[in-house]
Amino acid sequence: MHDTQIEDWLKLAGGKENIKLVEHNKGTTTLVLKDSTQLNMSVLASTDVVADIRVTGEQCHLAIRDESSRIYNALQGVGAAEGTALQEAGHAKKNRFSILHFVSDVFRPLMPAILGAAVIKILLAIITLMDTYGSADSSALMDSQTFTIFRIIGNSVIYLLPVLVAISTAYRLKSNIYVAASIGGLMFHPEMTMMMSGEQDVHLLGLPLVSQPAFYTTAIWVILTICAAAYLEKAVQRISPKFSKGMVAPFLTLLILVPLVLMILGPVGTWVDEYLPEALDSLLANAPVVTIMLLGAVFSLMLVMGLHYWVLAIIINEMVMDGGSMVIAAMMVAIIGQAGASLANGLRSKEPTSRRLAFWATGTALLGVVEPALYAVNMRKRSSFYSALLGGAAGGLYFGLLSVKAFAIVGNPSLVSLPLFIEEGSLNLLHTCIGVVIAFVVSGGLTYWMAGKGQKSGQAAPKASIE
C-alpha cells in the first residue's frame, strides 16, 4: 500500500487523531470516527478514493473495500507508530479469529518473491521436459553449471521459506524479527543438518527427534512457534526491569521455547515416521479407490502440516512393485484443485490486487508451484479451501476407479508432468486429463458458487454516500 494512498484515507477521516476504532470484516475495513464534522469530503473529488460513508447521529463509519487486509494493516502500522488506538473489533461473533486467514496474511507479503522464483522453476521444468522428449540433444545445457545455478536461483526462495515466514509472522505480530529469523533458520545450521541426516538417532533431553529437518521447518509449525515467541516476548517485557528489556525475552525464547517446540514436534514426527507409510501402504493394498480419493482430498493438508515428506517412500515402493504410482496421480488432482479454487477466487474478487494474485497463483499451481494458490489465495476463505479439497477428492475418485498411474517420480506433479502418465497401448493419459479437468471444474465451480453466496449475504460494495 503506497504512503500517498494511506495519506488520502487519513485526510478523508480528518486525520488519525479522529479515528476511534478500525475494524476488518468480510473484506471491508471500517473506520469508526470520533467527530463526523471533521470529514474532509474534498478528498473524494480530488483522488481515486472510493468509500461508503455512513453518518447516523453521533456515529460515523467510513467503510473501505479491503479484501487483502492491506489497508487495515497499513492503518494499524500508522496508529502503532504514532500511538493512536487502532484495534480490531472485539466482537467474537463478528470477527472470529481464523488460523487459515492468519497464515494467508503471513504469506501475502512473500508472494512477489515466491512468484518470481516460481516462474524461473517453471521455465526450467519446461526446458527439462523438452530435453527429455525432444529430438535435439541438449545434454550439454542440462549438465552445465549455468543451468544448475539457475535451478538454485529458482529453488532459493522455497529453500529459505522458513526464515521468510518467520520474519513475516513476527512483523505481523510486532515481535522481534531477528529472533524470529534465527528460529526459522535453525535447521539450516550445518551441524543440525548433519545430525538430522538419518545416520543416527537424535534425542533432546531423552525425547526422540525424527530425522526429517523439513518437517520442523514447515510453515505452519514455524508460524505457531513465532506466535508463541511473540506472546512470551510481550509477557516478559511487562515484568522485565528497564536495564534488561530487549535481552531477557530473546534469551528465554532461544533457551526454553525453541527446545520445547522440538520436544513436542520430535515425538510427533517419530510417530508419523513409524505409522503413516505403513498405514497408507495397507490402505492402498486393500482399498485403492478410497485411498486415492482421500489422498486427493487431504494432500493439501499434508502439505500444510509437512506430512507430505513421508509420501516419497510409498511412491518408491509403488514404482518397485507395480511400475507406476497412483499416489502421484492423487497429488496431481490435489494441486489442480487448488488451481481451480484460486481461479474462481480471482473471478469473484472485486479488488484488483487480489485478482492479479489469484490469476498468477492459478498459473503457477497448474504448472507445479502450489504455494501461492494454497497459502495466499485459498486459505483466506474457508469455503474456497474446502472446495479445493473436494475438487481433489472428486479427481482422486475418478483416478482410483480407473487406476490412473504415473510412470516416473516427480516432485510436484502438474500439467508439465502429463507425459509421465503416458502408457503404450492404454488410455491412461486420456483418463489423467479427464481427472484433472474434474478436479479443476469441481473445485472452481464450488468456490465460485460459495463466493457468490457470501457476497450476497455480505455487505454491499462500498461507495461514496452519506446517510
Side-chain angles (χ1 to χ4, degrees):
M1 180 61 60
H2 301 299
D3 292 339
T4 54
Q5 292 176 296
I6 295 301
E7 289 176 5
D8 290 337
W9 292 117
L10 293 176
K11 287 179 182 177
L12 176 61
K16 66 174 183 284
E17 296 81 8
N18 193 39
I19 300 175
K20 180 180 180 181
L21 184 69
V22 176
E23 303 174 299
H24 184 80
N25 186 43
K26 294 183 178 179
T28 300
T29 292
T30 303
L31 280 64
V32 181
L33 306 184
K34 298 177 182 177
D35 185 0
S36 61
T37 62
Q38 295 188 34
L39 277 171
N40 186 353
M41 299 300 295
S42 62
V43 175
L44 294 175
S46 59
T47 66
D48 295 330
V49 168
V50 179
D52 180 14
I53 303 171
R54 301 179 183 274
V55 181
T56 308
E58 296 182 356
Q59 291 289 327
C60 181
H61 296 78
L62 195 157
I64 310 162
R65 180 163 292 283
D66 184 21
E67 294 180 16
S68 61
S69 305
R70 296 173 69 198
I71 298 173
Y72 173 73
N73 294 331
L75 287 172
Q76 274 198 318
V78 171
E82 301 297 331
T84 303
L86 302 185
Q87 54 185 335
E88 198 162 2
H91 305 292
K93 292 182 179 179
K94 186 176 181 180
N95 281 319
R96 292 178 298 175
F97 174 78
S98 169
I99 184 64
L100 296 180
H101 198 283
F102 181 79
V103 171
S104 179
D105 279 343
V106 167
F107 268 86
R108 285 236 164 177
L110 308 180
M111 282 304 106
I114 294 177
L115 288 171
V119 173
I120 295 176
K121 291 180 66 175
I122 290 167
L123 290 175
L124 295 178
I126 293 173
I127 293 173
T128 303
L129 187 68
M130 292 173 63
D131 173 69
T132 303
Y133 294 96
S135 56
D137 183 13
S138 56
S139 58
L141 171 63
M142 301 299 297
D143 297 335
S144 68
Q145 293 179 339
T146 300
F147 190 85
T148 301
I149 290 173
F150 276 107
R151 188 175 69 248
I152 293 171
I153 293 172
N155 290 327
S156 61
V157 176
I158 299 300
Y159 180 76
L160 295 173
L161 194 59
V163 178
L164 299 176
V165 166
I167 292 172
S168 182
T169 306
Y171 181 80
R172 274 195 58 80
L173 297 173
K174 297 180 175 60
S175 181
N176 191 314
I177 62 173
Y178 305 106
V179 174
S182 302
I183 296 173
L186 174 65
M187 289 297 164
F188 297 135
H189 194 285
E191 288 189 44
M192 197 69 169
T193 304
M194 186 178 299
M195 190 183 301
M196 291 286 185
S197 62
E199 296 180 1
Q200 58 181 347
D201 293 335
V202 182
H203 293 80
L204 176 62
L205 298 177
L207 291 173
L209 301 183
V210 64
S211 297
Q212 183 61 270
F215 173 66
Y216 299 101
T217 56
T218 300
I220 189 66
W221 306 133
V222 173
I223 290 172
L224 293 177
T225 302
I226 303 305
C227 288
Y231 178 81
L232 177 64
E233 178 183 341
K234 292 175 182 176
V236 171
Q237 291 285 46
R238 284 196 295 266
I239 62 175
S240 296
K242 289 184 179 180
F243 73 90
S244 64
K245 281 190 181 295
M247 298 296 295
V248 177
F251 166 70
L252 293 178
T253 299
L254 296 174
L255 178 68
I256 299 175
L257 182 61
V258 175
L260 181 62
V261 170
L262 291 176
M263 292 167 64
I264 294 172
L265 292 179
V268 171
T270 301
W271 184 86
V272 171
D273 186 55
E274 183 176 353
Y275 293 106
L276 180 62
E278 182 180 341
L280 285 178
D281 273 335
S282 176
L283 286 171
L284 277 171
N286 297 298
V289 176
V290 175
T291 304
I292 298 305
M293 181 186 70
L294 291 177
L295 269 178
V298 305
F299 183 73
S300 295
L301 293 174
M302 296 176 70
L303 282 172
V304 172
M305 301 180 68
L307 302 180
H308 61 292
Y309 297 108
W310 280 275
V311 173
L312 180 59
I314 302 169
I315 293 174
I316 293 175
N317 183 62
E318 278 190 300
M319 288 291 184
V320 172
M321 300 299 294
D322 304 325
S325 172
M326 295 178 68
V327 172
I328 293 178
M331 292 165 57
M332 171 176 271
V333 289
I335 293 173
I336 296 299
Q338 294 293 333
S342 179
L343 177 62
N345 269 312
L347 294 174
R348 277 293 191 186
S349 176
K350 296 181 180 179
E351 189 178 76
T353 303
S354 297
R355 288 173 64 89
R356 286 195 300 269
L357 174 58
F359 292 148
W360 272 98
T362 300
T364 58
L366 288 173
L367 297 174
V369 182
V370 71
E371 286 82 4
L374 174 60
Y375 291 108
V377 179
N378 295 330
M379 270 196 176
R380 296 195 70 76
K381 298 178 181 177
R382 284 176 295 177
S383 59
S384 62
F385 186 71
Y386 297 151
S387 295
L389 303 187
L390 290 173
L397 176 61
Y398 183 84
F399 279 176
L401 291 172
L402 277 299
S403 299
V404 175
K405 297 178 181 179
F407 299 97
I409 296 177
V410 63
N412 277 352
S414 64
L415 298 185
V416 179
S417 312
L418 284 176
L420 305 182
F421 290 82
I422 296 175
E423 182 182 29
E424 187 175 352
S426 78
L427 298 176
N428 192 73
L429 179 59
L430 175 62
H431 292 310
T432 301
C433 295
I434 294 174
V436 164
V437 171
I438 290 174
F440 190 84
V441 171
V442 169
S443 63
L446 284 174
T447 301
Y448 193 84
W449 173 63
M450 296 179 77
K453 287 184 63 178
Q455 287 179 357
K456 289 179 181 178
S457 62
Q459 297 176 351
K463 57 186 178 180
S465 64
I466 298 181
E467 296 182 356

